[in-house]
């Protein structure tokens, strides 16, 4: 059957999905740090767990909300609608962003509590310097390009696996560790661990992520055009005019889920985005 989901249910999916993502990112980081004093080994464990968890969450929540999990991905969907494609309206984008941010904070607090730490303690890990901000621009631009590119060439079924693989790699090849998610970045400020970020570092990182999102959209337009006439939906919620292709919610276990094209029952515009970004 094809999913037709109301805005409140989609918002709940974004909140729970983003909370789950932060539990995976922070929880695996705390566990890795407890089991190994080698930072490299801990980062390998954290990046693998984060990538696997992200792919599963996208597959699970994609049929409900598009599994944005990331305000940058939501804003690309809003921009698609503004430029004549299908995507989120302004009210939907606002609700999604609020749900993602609340979910990220809740997930961080849950992860801290789960490991016997005092929840609500802000991170003391200051991340500043222009090179880190450049890293965030690159990480976010690459994420958007992966989502947009696969959507525009008609391969949205690859998005969950591709996004997970990209994040696992970007954690290593970017100087910032690839936060690439404003909501996730805010949530990680509530964890005083090696995955955390001090509140004073938030403005620079969030600004860099927004710039990266714009750059990613520009690169997708340059490489793939405006996405019109592909004949398939864009799982990222990016610019596209082709009608949504219904995707059955029963997903074979051996095949990564596509990010489905859904028609909400409340009359809202379809939500079509795959990710996103580890926060």
């Amino acid at each position: 059957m094809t999913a037709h989901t109301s805005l409140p249910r989609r918002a709940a999916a974004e909140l729970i999905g983003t909370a789950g993502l932060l539990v995976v990112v922070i929880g695996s980081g705390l566990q890795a740090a407890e089991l190994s004093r080698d930072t490299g080994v801990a980062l390998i464990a954290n990046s693998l767990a984060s990538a696997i968890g992200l792919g599963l969450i996208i597959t699970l929540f994609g049929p409900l909300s598009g599994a944005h999990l990331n305000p940058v991905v939501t804003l690309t969907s809003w921009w698609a609608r503004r430029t004549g494609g299908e995507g989120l309206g302004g009210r939907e984008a606002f609700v999604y962003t609020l749900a993602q941010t609340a979910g990220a904070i809740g997930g961080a607090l849950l992860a801290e509590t789960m490991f016997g730490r005092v929840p609500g303690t802000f991170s003391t890990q200051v991340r500043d310097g222009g090179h880190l901000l450049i890293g965030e621009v690159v990480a976010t631009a690459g994420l958007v390009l992966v989502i947009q590119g696969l959507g525009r060439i008609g391969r949205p079924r690859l998005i969950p696996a591709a996004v997970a693989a990209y994040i696992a790699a970007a954690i290593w090849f970017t100087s910032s560790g690839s936060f690439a998610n404003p909501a996730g970045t805010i949530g990680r400020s509530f964890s005083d661990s090696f995955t955390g970020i001090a509140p004073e570092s938030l403005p620079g990182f969030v600004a860099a992520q927004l710039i990266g999102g714009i750059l990613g959209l520009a690169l997708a337009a340059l490489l793939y055009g405006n996405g019109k006439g592909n004949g398939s939906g864009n799982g990222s919620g990016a610019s596209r005019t082709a009608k949504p292709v219904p995707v059955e919610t029963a997903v074979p276990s051996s095949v990564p889920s596509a990010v489905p094209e859904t028609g909400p029952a409340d009359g809202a515009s379809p939500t079509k985005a795959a990710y996103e970004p580890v926060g």
Side-chain angles (χ1 to χ4, degrees):
M1 59 178 287
T2 301
H4 294 276
T5 314
S6 66
L7 179 57
R9 184 171 292 182
R10 285 183 280 143
E14 287 296 305
L15 187 150
I16 296 169
T18 311
L21 177 61
L22 267 291
V23 168
V24 170
V25 172
I26 295 175
S28 64
L30 292 172
Q31 185 77 288
E34 287 184 6
L35 296 176
S36 175
R37 294 185 179 182
D38 187 315
T39 304
V41 172
L43 189 57
I44 288 173
N46 177 240
S47 60
L48 288 177
S50 298
I52 293 169
L54 175 59
L56 291 173
I57 290 169
I58 293 173
T59 301
L60 179 63
F61 290 98
L64 295 175
S65 66
H68 294 200
L69 314 176
N70 185 335
V72 168
V73 177
T74 294
L75 288 174
T76 64
S77 180
W78 170 80
W79 180 252
R81 184 163 179 172
R82 292 273 297 178
T83 54
E86 294 179 9
L88 295 178
R91 174 172 169 266
E92 292 174 298
F94 179 72
V95 171
Y96 266 45
T97 300
L98 286 181
Q100 291 155 1
T101 304
I105 295 172
L109 297 178
L110 176 58
E112 291 283 304
T113 302
M114 201 165 52
F115 281 86
R117 295 158 63 93
V118 179
T121 302
F122 286 114
S123 175
T124 57
Q125 179 132 339
V126 176
R127 300 176 187 265
D128 55 16
H131 65 293
L132 296 182
L133 300 183
I134 292 173
E136 275 302 283
V137 171
V138 171
T140 312
L143 172 64
V144 171
L145 182 58
V146 167
I147 296 170
Q148 293 280 320
L150 288 173
R152 295 185 188 203
I153 63 176
R155 295 184 177 179
R157 286 185 178 273
L158 298 178
I159 289 175
V163 167
Y166 173 80
I167 290 301
I171 288 174
W172 282 91
F173 75 72
T174 61
S175 58
S176 64
S178 185
F179 283 51
N181 182 336
T185 303
I186 292 171
R188 286 165 70 164
S189 71
F190 287 83
S191 174
D192 193 15
S193 64
F194 88 87
T195 60
I197 178 171
E200 57 263 37
S201 300
L202 291 178
F205 264 58
V206 171
Q209 290 156 3
L210 294 176
I211 293 170
I214 295 171
L215 178 59
L217 280 174
L219 288 173
L222 174 66
L223 295 171
Y224 302 104
N226 61 15
K228 296 182 180 181
N230 282 335
S232 65
N234 181 348
S236 67
S239 174
R240 48 193 158 63
T241 57
K243 288 186 177 295
V245 178
V247 177
E248 292 188 351
T249 56
V251 181
S253 60
S254 61
V255 181
S257 169
V259 178
E261 306 290 337
T262 65
D266 61 0
S269 61
T271 60
K272 318 298 148 250
Y275 176 45
E276 139 121 328
V278 165

